[in-house]
Amino acid sequence: MTLYVHKYGGTSVGNLERIKQVADRIVQARQRGDRLVVVVSAMSGETNRLLALARGVQDPPDSRELDVLLATGEQVTIALLSMALQQRGCPACSYTGGQVPIVTDRAHTKARILDIDTGRIEADLAQGKVVVVAGFQGVTGDGDITTLGRGGSDTTAVALAAALKADECLIYTDVDGVYTTDPRVEPRARRLDRITFEEMLEMASLGSKVLQIRSVEFAGKYNVPLRVLSSFVEGPGTLITYEEESVEKPLISGIAFNRDEAKLTILGVPDRPGIASKILGPIAEANIEVDMIVQNVGEDGSTDFTFTVHRNEYRRALDILRRVCDQLGAREAAGDDTIVKVSLVGVGMRSHAGIAAKMFDALAREGINIQMISTSEIKISVVINEKYLELAVRSLHEAFHLDQSPA
Amino acid sequence: MTLYVHKYGGTSVGNLERIKQVADRIVQARQRGDRLVVVVSAMSGETNRLLALARGVQDPPDSRELDVLLATGEQVTIALLSMALQQRGCPACSYTGGQVPIVTDRAHTKARILDIDTGRIEADLAQGKVVVVAGFQGVTGDGDITTLGRGGSDTTAVALAAALKADECLIYTDVDGVYTTDPRVEPRARRLDRITFEEMLEMASLGSKVLQIRSVEFAGKYNVPLRVLSSFVEGPGTLITYEEESVEKPLISGIAFNRDEAKLTILGVPDRPGIASKILGPIAEANIEVDMIVQNVGEDGSTDFTFTVHRNEYRRALDILRRVCDQLGAREAAGDDTIVKVSLVGVGMRSHAGIAAKMFDALAREGINIQMISTSEIKISVVINEKYLELAVRSLHEAFHLDQSPA
């Protein structure tokens, strides 16, 4: 008998009507003979309501107490969903993270799962019950309530699927799968039937926020087949699998983009060993995260050094870079916060030459100037002026025939 | 160093402003050098909001899942109060019932406390922390969340005070103590400085709803000094003590009354052994609770039998009694749902004759007809027509000089 872990996010359980719809869906699945563990988030808006209460008394709120407070959000949902299932004649039983228990480390508000005891859940499943588990939360070894941070319910679902050796983990959300790119930018964007874990990781880290990146890593590590699908529309969604299991191997799976970056450049730096750390050290000390880094050594023995940061950190980073510029005797520190990053993602590019050339050619034909290039094994990213974003995405979508299903 | 358990009910923590006021009060107490454990209820309205959600999906809601849902109410309050204390520089730490743990039996929605492990609380107290505990909730031996039923937060506070051997348990509420009678009926009603546990039990069971009766029983059993006081107005409140410890021994402590009763009478019953059980057996089988019972044997060998029930059960009880009347060959079954019960309560009456006579005399002087009389060691109750309630209470208050402090 197959065992599925379902996960329903905040909008899927946003009010009593939607909770009842989720219950209907679960009852149908159970009638097909599936054994089911269901992970739920807090009703949409609830976590923000609780955060506002907390900030009304302490700012910033104590992290241990904040976890006690926020954990009530999912606790409400598990009780209501279990009741809705029972109302439909479906035996069901709820568990908080602490009751399972899902044991985490002590890092309040961003805890990591250390261990899951599946004993109680397996006993309930053996009795034919649907088990409803609170996502996002756990408990330390000495009984303190913890939360896994935003999006942690996905992680709970994947971790439970791994611990229970479930056949599949189904993440129900408000989109019906993973697309070749954002349909709001390219209306011809196509839902992918399958995507590999590695591609999904690149897509997620590049701003396609269908799944929490930690849950994808977790699923990959423990070999849990993951499916993203809509809780509102029937459909197969997108299956996230290991490359080896994938029958469909397109060159390119999708185009991701990120509007939240800004570019910083220091020009004419005397090229000596240790220059990179002298530039990035002060940036790291200021707790500013760096994304792309590109360095080119010029012919005159001086070098240009460029990197990108989150756009919110642009001003702080530029101030730091100007001081570094003086200390190093570099020519100039400059920046640009009107850039975007566009990336082609696909495991197929590993074994195919010419992908980069085809990409650059497609952009050049539209007169789009490339300011930075960075590549990894399954991804090519370029930085361009933000005004070209939509044009670049559509040109690449067309050049790589992403609107057509691979044969 | 003295150890106090404070308990704040729903109206005392009804919004963020009130939670901050409670925090201020606790900080003051701590500055006097007291060690403090604080028990809180859900914010007022929250439990009803959660109940409405539950009934929106399952009616009646499953009791196990209802407890999971309702327990979130106090969990929100403990986190917010701990944060408010920390914001004021006061180290504080919160615990749910399950985290303490407060172990209960498995009777969901009306569980009874079996055991409290005070280890974590005592460790926190030793570190100078204020410990904030969720009232109303516990956990079974195998980790299921339970609740103690309405008013259970008082019971939590008293049980914690007993387990911790606290010097006093302070119940903060929206009244500033226990009164000689209801001030809405007799404006000259006086706040009592002290009252014995036994008197408090009689007052509570007779409708003076300052404290939950179970918590008073618990406090008496474990010898926990209990104080009722206002969370809005400064004042000493009323201390509930053992009789032996009381310096103040008035004849009468107060006048309680109950408007929720109805009277049923079966007249001309052939007086044979077993008559009482033949009359009350069918009433008990219908799950109707009986309060006062009075039987008088007449000279003709027949008897009249009268008892009171809750007014909501009047119609059902009368229907049953009519059937019983036929079976027993009694003359008539009759009833009256326009009666009230008025009671004098006081440990002093044990050692003083003439209290009953003085009471009946005071009522007779006002022309109030007494329909039933029932006495216990520290209480005399009479049933009268409901139209005389206010008059009776004021006459008795005056006759026993309850507006004046005992010398």
Side-chain angles (χ1 to χ4, degrees):
Chain A
M1 217 157 67
T2 44
L3 171 63
Y4 290 116
V5 174
H6 285 200
K7 182 259 167 177
Y8 295 92
T11 50
S12 304
V13 293
N15 56 44
L16 291 189
E17 277 322 300
R18 289 194 171 171
I19 287 174
K20 290 174 191 174
Q21 285 164 16
V22 166
D24 289 337
R25 184 179 287 275
I26 292 167
V27 168
Q28 280 168 27
R30 192 161 165 275
Q31 282 164 351
R32 287 193 301 265
D34 300 342
R35 289 183 305 154
L36 290 172
V37 174
V38 181
V39 174
V40 287
S41 302
M43 294 164 77
S44 56
E46 182 64 5
T47 302
N48 287 335
R49 184 184 76 88
L50 293 168
L51 270 173
L53 282 176
R55 295 201 178 112
V57 288
Q58 188 185 21
D59 204 6
D62 177 72
S63 60
R64 180 191 183 277
E65 300 303 332
L66 188 60
D67 281 352
V68 171
L69 184 72
L70 294 184
T72 63
E74 294 77 31
Q75 190 170 327
V76 166
T77 322
I78 57 171
L80 292 176
L81 180 57
S82 298
M83 290 177 193
L85 287 167
Q86 293 184 17
Q87 178 73 19
R88 283 155 181 74
C90 171
C93 188
S94 75
Y95 292 96
T96 64
Q99 285 181 309
V100 172
I102 295 173
V103 181
T104 73
D105 61 19
R106 312 182 55 82
H108 285 291
T109 74
K110 48 179 192 295
R112 288 190 170 257
I113 296 173
L114 300 177
D115 188 40
I116 298 182
D117 181 345
T118 57
R120 292 192 77 178
I121 293 176
E122 286 177 301
D124 282 348
L125 289 173
Q127 287 176 36
K129 288 184 190 165
V130 169
V131 179
V132 182
V133 178
F136 174 71
Q137 56 182 246
V139 66
T140 66
D142 39 346
D144 279 343
I145 295 169
T146 52
T147 67
L148 310 179
R150 288 256 168 183
S153 289
D154 288 350
T155 308
T156 302
V158 171
L160 272 172
L164 291 162
K165 299 181 177 52
D167 294 275
E168 208 171 279
C169 180
L170 290 81
I171 309 284
Y172 286 91
T173 175
D174 48 2
V175 297
D176 68 344
V178 180
Y179 275 70
T180 50
T181 194
D182 187 338
R184 286 167 299 187
V185 167
E186 168 52 275
R188 292 195 293 165
R190 183 176 52 84
R191 183 183 55 74
L192 295 162
D193 288 329
R194 287 167 175 254
I195 187 172
T196 69
F197 282 106
E198 293 156 296
E199 288 168 332
M200 190 66 207
L201 277 180
E202 292 287 4
M203 296 290 271
S205 66
L206 292 167
S208 298
K209 293 198 187 72
V210 175
L211 277 178
Q212 202 60 16
I213 194 161
R214 266 171 65 195
S215 66
V216 180
E217 289 171 351
F218 218 99
K221 189 169 167 192
Y222 291 99
N223 199 354
V224 177
L226 203 60
R227 188 181 292 275
V228 177
L229 62 182
S230 165
S231 58
F232 304 111
V233 185
E234 287 291 331
T238 299
L239 182 66
I240 301 155
T241 59
Y242 284 83
E243 189 191 353
E244 292 73 30
E245 295 170 3
S246 178
V247 284
E248 168 195 11
K249 281 194 190 175
L251 290 178
I252 302 299
S253 282
I255 301 162
F257 54 85
N258 188 345
R259 302 180 204 255
D260 293 331
E261 300 209 14
K263 184 182 75 164
L264 294 128
T265 303
I266 183 163
L267 295 162
V269 188
D271 189 24
R272 288 190 300 264
I275 279 297
S277 80
K278 284 211 175 70
I279 296 169
L280 294 182
I283 299 284
E285 277 163 32
N287 260 320
I288 297 172
E289 244 178 274
V290 170
D291 179 30
M292 290 172 80
I293 302 170
V294 171
Q295 186 182 8
N296 262 328
V297 180
E299 293 194 358
D300 59 349
S302 79
T303 186
D304 298 343
F305 192 98
T306 304
F307 58 95
T308 63
V309 298
H310 193 283
R311 211 172 271 195
N312 292 343
E313 306 284 12
Y314 174 63
R315 284 284 142 205
R316 278 176 65 217
L318 191 58
D319 287 347
I320 293 167
L321 201 64
R322 284 191 174 128
R323 286 202 302 274
V324 171
C325 181
D326 292 346
Q327 288 161 14
L328 293 180
R331 196 168 71 242
E332 190 190 347
D336 184 354
D337 63 350
T338 62
I339 56 110
V340 289
K341 181 167 73 167
V342 176
S343 308
L344 273 188
V345 176
V347 290
M349 69 173 68
R350 278 182 189 159
S351 45
H352 285 74
I355 301 283
K358 191 171 175 184
M359 178 184 188
F360 303 153
D361 181 54
L363 296 174
R365 268 186 282 127
E366 302 292 345
I368 299 170
N369 187 38
I370 299 172
Q371 302 181 25
M372 284 174 85
I373 298 172
S374 164
T375 60
S376 79
E377 219 186 342
I378 64 165
K379 178 193 71 178
I380 307 168
S381 298
V382 297
V383 164
I384 58 176
N385 188 295
E386 62 182 7
K387 70 182 174 189
Y388 295 125
L389 172 66
E390 290 78 8
L391 180 61
V393 169
R394 287 189 208 118
S395 314
L396 295 173
H397 206 268
E398 167 129 23
F400 289 93
H401 309 294
L402 291 181
D403 56 328
Q404 294 156 33
S405 267
Chain B
M1 216 157 69
T2 45
L3 170 62
Y4 291 115
V5 174
H6 284 200
K7 182 260 168 177
Y8 295 91
T11 50
S12 303
V13 293
N15 55 46
L16 292 188
E17 277 322 299
R18 290 194 170 173
I19 288 173
K20 289 174 190 174
Q21 285 164 16
V22 166
D24 289 337
R25 184 179 287 274
I26 293 167
V27 167
Q28 280 169 25
R30 192 162 163 275
Q31 281 164 351
R32 288 194 298 266
D34 301 341
R35 289 183 304 154
L36 289 172
V37 173
V38 181
V39 175
V40 287
S41 302
M43 294 164 78
S44 56
E46 182 66 4
T47 302
N48 287 334
R49 184 183 75 88
L50 293 168
L51 270 172
L53 283 176
R55 295 202 178 111
V57 287
Q58 188 185 21
D59 202 6
D62 177 73
S63 59
R64 179 191 183 278
E65 299 302 334
L66 188 60
D67 280 353
V68 171
L69 184 72
L70 295 183
T72 62
E74 294 77 30
Q75 190 168 329
V76 166
T77 321
I78 57 172
L80 292 175
L81 180 57
S82 298
M83 290 176 192
L85 287 167
Q86 293 183 17
Q87 177 73 17
R88 283 153 181 75
C90 171
C93 188
S94 75
Y95 292 95
T96 64
Q99 284 181 310
V100 171
I102 296 173
V103 181
T104 73
D105 61 21
R106 312 183 56 82
H108 284 292
T109 74
K110 49 181 190 292
R112 288 189 171 259
I113 296 174
L114 301 178
D115 188 40
I116 298 181
D117 182 344
T118 57
R120 292 192 75 177
I121 294 176
E122 287 179 299
D124 282 349
L125 288 173
Q127 286 176 36
K129 288 183 191 167
V130 170
V131 179
V132 182
V133 178
F136 174 71
Q137 57 182 246
V139 67
T140 65
D142 38 347
D144 279 344
I145 295 169
T146 52
T147 67
L148 311 179
R150 290 256 169 182
S153 289
D154 288 350
T155 308
T156 302
V158 171
L160 273 171
L164 291 161
K165 298 182 177 53
D167 294 276
E168 208 172 279
C169 179
L170 291 81
I171 309 284
Y172 286 91
T173 174
D174 47 4
V175 298
D176 68 343
V178 180
Y179 275 70
T180 50
T181 194
D182 187 337
R184 286 167 298 186
V185 168
E186 168 53 274
R188 292 194 293 165
R190 183 177 50 84
R191 183 184 54 73
L192 295 162
D193 288 329
R194 288 166 175 256
I195 189 171
T196 69
F197 282 106
E198 295 157 294
E199 289 169 330
M200 191 65 208
L201 277 179
E202 293 286 4
M203 295 289 271
S205 66
L206 293 167
S208 297
K209 296 202 185 65
V210 175
L211 276 177
Q212 202 61 17
I213 194 161
R214 266 171 65 194
S215 66
V216 180
E217 289 170 351
F218 217 98
K221 187 170 168 192
Y222 291 100
N223 199 354
V224 177
L226 204 61
R227 188 181 292 274
V228 177
L229 60 183
S230 166
S231 57
F232 304 111
V233 184
E234 286 290 331
T238 299
L239 182 66
I240 300 156
T241 59
Y242 284 84
E243 191 192 351
E244 294 72 29
E245 294 169 5
S246 177
V247 285
E248 170 194 10
K249 282 195 190 174
L251 291 178
I252 303 300
S253 283
I255 301 162
F257 54 84
N258 187 346
R259 302 181 204 255
D260 293 331
E261 300 208 15
K263 185 181 75 164
L264 294 128
T265 302
I266 183 162
L267 296 162
V269 188
D271 189 25
R272 289 190 299 264
I275 280 297
S277 80
K278 285 212 174 70
I279 297 168
L280 294 182
I283 300 285
E285 277 162 31
N287 260 321
I288 298 173
E289 244 177 272
V290 170
D291 180 28
M292 290 170 80
I293 303 170
V294 171
Q295 186 182 8
N296 263 329
V297 181
E299 294 193 356
D300 59 348
S302 81
T303 187
D304 298 343
F305 192 98
T306 304
F307 59 95
T308 63
V309 299
H310 194 282
R311 210 172 272 194
N312 293 343
E313 307 285 10
Y314 175 63
R315 283 284 143 204
R316 277 175 65 217
L318 192 57
D319 288 346
I320 293 167
L321 200 64
R322 285 190 175 128
R323 287 200 303 273
V324 171
C325 182
D326 294 344
Q327 289 160 13
L328 294 180
R331 197 169 70 242
E332 189 190 347
D336 184 354
D337 63 349
T338 62
I339 55 108
V340 290
K341 182 168 73 167
V342 176
S343 308
L344 274 187
V345 176
V347 290
M349 68 174 71
R350 277 180 189 160
S351 45
H352 283 76
I355 301 284
K358 191 172 175 182
M359 179 185 187
F360 303 153
D361 181 55
L363 296 174
R365 267 185 284 128
E366 301 292 347
I368 299 171
N369 187 39
I370 298 172
Q371 303 181 22
M372 285 174 85
I373 299 173
S374 163
T375 59
S376 79
E377 220 186 342
I378 65 164
K379 178 193 73 178
I380 307 168
S381 298
V382 297
V383 164
I384 58 175
N385 188 294
E386 64 182 5
K387 70 182 174 189
Y388 295 126
L389 171 66
E390 290 78 7
L391 182 61
V393 169
R394 287 188 208 119
S395 313
L396 294 172
H397 207 267
E398 169 128 22
F400 289 93
H401 309 295
L402 291 180
D403 56 327
Q404 294 157 34
S405 269

